[in-house]
Each structure stands twice: as C-alpha cells, then as structure tokens.
C-alpha cells in the first residue's frame, strides 16, 4: 500500500472511532482533503483512493490545479482568505467557500456566480477565540451578517467554519469547538429557511475534538499528504 493510501485509511479510521466514541454516524462527516501546496498528481492519486472533496487556500495555485483536473468529478472547496479581486475564480470554479467574512465578498460572489451553476455553498468563518491575527466574525456579529445574506440567492448559506487558537490544551480547543457549535444551533433557530447543516471544523491535530463537538466536515492536510514542503 502506498503512503497516501495508508494515510487516508488511518484518517478514515480516526473519524470512525471518533464518531463511535460520541454515538454519531460516520456518514455524517465529510472528509475534505486539504491539497494546498500539493501537485495535481497527488490530488489525482487521492481521488483514486476514494476522496472527492479537496480544499485549496491560494487562488493562483488553485486555478491551475482545478483546470488540470477538470476531467475528474471533484468537489472544490476554497478555505483560505479570499481577496475581492479573486472572487471570480471561486464563483466560477468552486463548489464551496469556507472563509466568508465580509459582505463585500458575498455581494461579488452573488454577482459573479454563473447562472448555469447551483448557488455557491458558503460557510461563515468565526473568530471564536477572539484573535487579533485571525479573520472571521465574532459570535455576536453572526446574526446581522446572516440577515444581510438573505437576499443573495446565488449563495447557499450552509454553516460555520472555525480554526481555534493554536497551542491550546485539548479541553480549551474542545470548548472553542463547542461554542462554535452553539453558534450554529442559534442560527438554525433564527433562520429556519436556510440550509444551515455544516460545521467545518477539525484538522489533522484535532479532528476527534471537533467531531465530539458536532463537526460535519473535517479539513485534513498533513495527515493525508504528509508534512507540507
Ligand atoms: C492548511 C489548512 C488545513 C489543514 O491543516 P492540517 O493541519 O495540515 O491538517 C485546514 N484548514 C485550513 C483553513 C487550512 O488552511
């Protein structure tokens, strides 16, 4: 078995155990392979191993890979910071954006999403640990922000994305995930008309904690493809 196949099997195993541990169904967790900095060949190999969802952070790098791999039925997720001059790429070539944090970006995506495609799936990034270095909305800003998105019919508001502060204890990280989960539940009550079914949380180091707190999508790079170059 290749290293990539073994890594994917190991990550799937971890997800399986994590769901069993908290009585959830493994089918409710999507595995998103974070392929930033990896060549298209690695993505192709991961697809052959059964992965469908791939996450990219950098617009220029992503554009080339999406074009190279357009013969494959992949689901592309943009998970990095998105500048307004790069929204067209995401609107035209991606299925998901995880890092929505500004109305201006949402309005550009609304205008640029091609009519022949379904609405772009978006998650709102939450700055759950109130870090100055991080983008994302504070929990108290979510209600107004989602309300402002209601008229944008080319976007499907699917949920929240979070990256907790680094170097915390497991208990603190778990608490950050739980607070994010609570934010989603509140939005579900507030906006029953929206398809709010996604909690994009958990990476290589903390996917078990995220699943225990209700994650529906884990974003895994290192533990699938190895250490980034
Ligand atoms: C790079 C990245 C990941 C993957 O992190 P790993 O620790 O390599 O699994 C997940 N989410 C985002 C937003 C990232 O930028």
């Amino acid at each position: 078995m290749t290293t990539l196949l073994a890594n994917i099997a190991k990550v799937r195993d971890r997800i399986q155990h994590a769901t069993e541990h908290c009585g959830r169904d493994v089918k409710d967790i999507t595995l998103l392979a974070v392929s930033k900095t990896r060549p298209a060949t690695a993505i192709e190999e991961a697809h052959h191993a059964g992965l469908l969802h791939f996450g990219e952070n950098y617009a220029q790098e992503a554009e080339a890979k999406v074009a190279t791999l357009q013969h494959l039925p992949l689901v592309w997720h943009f998970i990095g910071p998105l500048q307004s001059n790069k929204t067209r790429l995401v609107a035209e070539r991606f299925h998901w954006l995880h890092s929505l944090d500004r109305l201006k970006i949402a309005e550009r995506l609304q205008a640029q999403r091609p009519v022949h495609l379904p609405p772009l799936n978006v998650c709102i990034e939450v700055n759950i640990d109130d870090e100055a270095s991080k983008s994302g909305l504070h929990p108290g800003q979510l209600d107004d922000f989602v309300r402002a998105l209601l008229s944008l019919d080319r976007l499907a508001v699917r949920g929240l994305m979070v990256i907790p502060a680094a170097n915390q204890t497991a208990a603190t990280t778990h608490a950050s995930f739980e607070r994010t989960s609570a934010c989603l539940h509140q939005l579900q009550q507030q906006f029953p008309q929206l398809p709010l079914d996604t909690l994009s949380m958990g990476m290589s180091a903390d996917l078990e904690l995220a699943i225990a707190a209700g994650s529906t999508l884990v974003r895994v790079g290192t533990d699938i493809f190895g250490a980034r170059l």
Side-chain angles (χ1 to χ4, degrees):
M1 194 156 45
T2 67
T3 307
L4 182 62
L5 280 175
N7 285 351
I8 292 170
K10 219 179 293 176
V11 168
R12 285 202 192 285
D13 234 46
R14 285 174 61 195
I15 294 171
Q16 172 81 40
H17 280 115
T19 53
E20 279 167 11
H21 190 72
C22 57
R24 298 187 57 198
D25 189 336
V26 72
K27 288 193 219 60
D28 294 337
I29 316 289
T30 298
L31 173 56
L32 170 61
V34 177
S35 46
K36 65 187 180 204
T37 78
R38 318 292 174 172
T41 49
I43 298 173
E44 194 151 18
E45 200 186 336
H47 173 65
H48 286 310
L51 297 185
L52 263 188
H53 296 266
F54 292 88
E56 291 284 336
N57 288 54
Y58 311 107
Q60 222 166 343
E61 178 192 331
E63 185 165 26
K65 284 191 260 183
V66 171
T68 304
L69 296 168
Q70 59 185 323
H71 58 291
L72 298 177
L74 307 180
V75 182
W76 290 104
H77 299 245
F78 199 88
I79 63 174
L82 182 58
Q83 291 166 350
S84 58
N85 62 347
K86 304 290 187 195
T87 52
R88 184 172 293 280
L89 168 75
V90 173
E92 293 182 349
R93 301 272 177 250
F94 278 73
H95 304 84
W96 286 77
L97 171 67
H98 289 235
S99 48
L100 184 63
D101 64 350
R102 277 173 294 156
L103 192 56
K104 181 183 172 194
I105 297 286
E107 286 167 343
R108 290 179 64 90
L109 292 167
Q110 162 78 15
Q112 293 169 341
R113 183 70 170 170
V115 289
H116 66 277
L117 294 179
L120 178 70
N121 297 296
V122 298
C123 289
I124 299 159
E125 183 169 355
V126 185
N127 187 350
I128 199 69
D129 292 313
D130 195 16
E131 295 173 276
S133 64
K134 240 173 223 153
S135 43
L137 278 78
H138 296 288
Q141 300 174 311
L142 287 171
D143 189 277
D144 282 349
F145 187 66
V146 172
R147 203 173 300 283
L149 298 178
L150 287 177
S151 63
L152 306 183
D153 64 344
R154 302 302 293 141
L155 304 183
V157 184
R158 298 294 296 272
L160 302 176
M161 188 275 263
V162 74
I163 309 169
N167 306 315
Q168 302 188 103
T169 63
T172 309
T173 300
H174 183 254
S176 300
F177 286 140
E178 287 283 7
R179 289 201 306 282
T180 309
S181 196
C183 289
L184 183 69
H185 287 138
Q186 198 168 336
L187 291 175
Q188 286 167 337
Q189 305 292 314
Q190 201 83 13
F191 302 99
Q193 71 272 45
L194 293 177
L196 291 162
D197 57 3
T198 303
L199 268 177
S200 169
M201 54 187 204
M203 316 199 295
S204 292
D206 55 18
L207 66 88
E208 286 87 355
L209 298 172
I211 288 170
S215 169
T216 66
L217 182 152
V218 292
R219 309 178 309 268
V220 181
T222 308
D223 284 0
I224 289 177
F225 294 106
R228 276 185 287 279
L229 304 173

